[in-house]
Amino acid sequence: MKNGKHLCTVGSDDVWMFSARVWGELWGPEVSFLDVSGGGKHRNNGENDFLIWEMPHELVKGDCIAFFFEDGSESSPKGQLFDPSALETEQPKIDISVPPTDKDVVKLESRPSLNADLTWSFKINQGPYTLVAPDKVRQHVSLHVLWNEERPQRLRVNLSRSSLREIVGRTGGEELFLEYIPLGSSFEVAVVL
């Protein structure tokens, strides 16, 4: 749910796995984003479709995203099939190597902080609120939710902060919360005003 209104439901009849992610960073200009996507059920040939519910869904200050992990088989709305031809054909020119060099990282780190006051509040079940914010050392905050049909009774929830260097180097970051939560659990992340 977003701000108390239904945004989407991902049901187990439609996917073998799904992922939801809320993320934001100091540089902006957008405050935060929500992505919800999944892998459709495997066909007889072993292939599956990439489905999208929200990607990217921009969040502003005051927005609250609430997650409810419940029994349910039907998606509402149905996930949209990813269509690569719908992508913008003209991408903005970015003068960065792939993978980024150390010089590229320094350049990216030197951008102005447009979201210097970015703060989230995070709460799971009836627990207390925890405030989370990026800083000059770890500029990126992320809530990552993961489910798959191999262990349908649990949902992985990970709240973390990472630096650009940790993201580029795939070395992890600072885990603030990491648990496998059972059915019946709920949690929320809000962008603080």
Side-chain angles (χ1 to χ4, degrees):
M1 297 184 79
K2 177 183 175 185
N3 302 330
K5 295 181 180 175
H6 179 261
L7 189 62
C8 67
T9 301
V10 180
S12 58
D13 280 356
D14 300 327
V15 298
W16 72 271
M17 65 77 59
F18 84 89
S19 171
R21 190 169 73 110
V22 181
W23 59 276
E25 62 184 23
L26 284 180
W27 299 293
E30 298 82 2
V31 175
S32 295
F33 285 104
L34 166 69
D35 298 328
V36 181
S37 61
K41 291 289 188 183
H42 290 95
R43 294 187 284 273
N44 290 339
N45 64 4
E47 294 178 357
N48 66 297
D49 294 321
F50 181 62
L51 303 173
I52 298 171
W53 282 265
E54 298 290 336
M55 187 181 287
H57 184 101
E58 187 175 342
L59 303 176
V60 298
K61 290 182 179 182
D63 281 344
C64 179
I65 302 294
F67 296 86
F68 302 90
F69 182 39
E70 302 171 347
D71 273 324
S73 57
E74 291 189 33
S75 294
S76 172
K78 294 287 186 189
Q80 297 295 309
L81 186 61
F82 173 69
D83 179 7
S85 68
L87 295 175
E88 293 180 26
T89 55
E90 190 172 317
Q91 297 294 323
K93 175 74 173 126
I94 299 174
D95 191 22
I96 302 292
S97 305
V98 178
T101 64
D102 194 50
K103 184 178 177 181
D104 293 332
V105 173
V106 168
K107 181 179 178 180
L108 291 169
E109 288 174 327
S110 67
R111 293 174 289 168
S113 296
L114 302 177
N115 288 330
D117 62 345
L118 175 61
T119 303
W120 290 354
S121 67
F122 173 75
K123 175 181 170 182
I124 187 154
N125 294 319
Q126 301 305 315
Y129 285 98
T130 301
L131 294 180
V132 179
D135 58 29
K136 290 182 180 181
V137 175
R138 291 199 162 104
Q139 308 94 352
H140 182 88
V141 291
S142 178
L143 174 68
H144 190 215
V145 178
L146 186 62
W147 176 89
N148 71 59
E149 65 185 6
E150 291 179 17
R151 294 191 173 97
Q153 302 301 314
R154 70 181 200 177
L155 184 72
R156 183 181 190 269
V157 180
N158 179 222
L159 178 66
S160 63
R161 292 191 310 177
S162 303
S163 70
L164 183 58
R165 291 177 183 276
E166 289 167 333
I167 293 169
V168 169
R170 298 182 181 189
T171 58
E174 177 186 16
E175 285 184 353
L176 304 169
F177 180 88
L178 175 59
E179 281 189 24
Y180 289 91
I181 62 172
L183 277 169
S185 299
S186 63
F187 53 98
E188 66 180 50
V189 62
V191 183
V192 176
L193 285 169

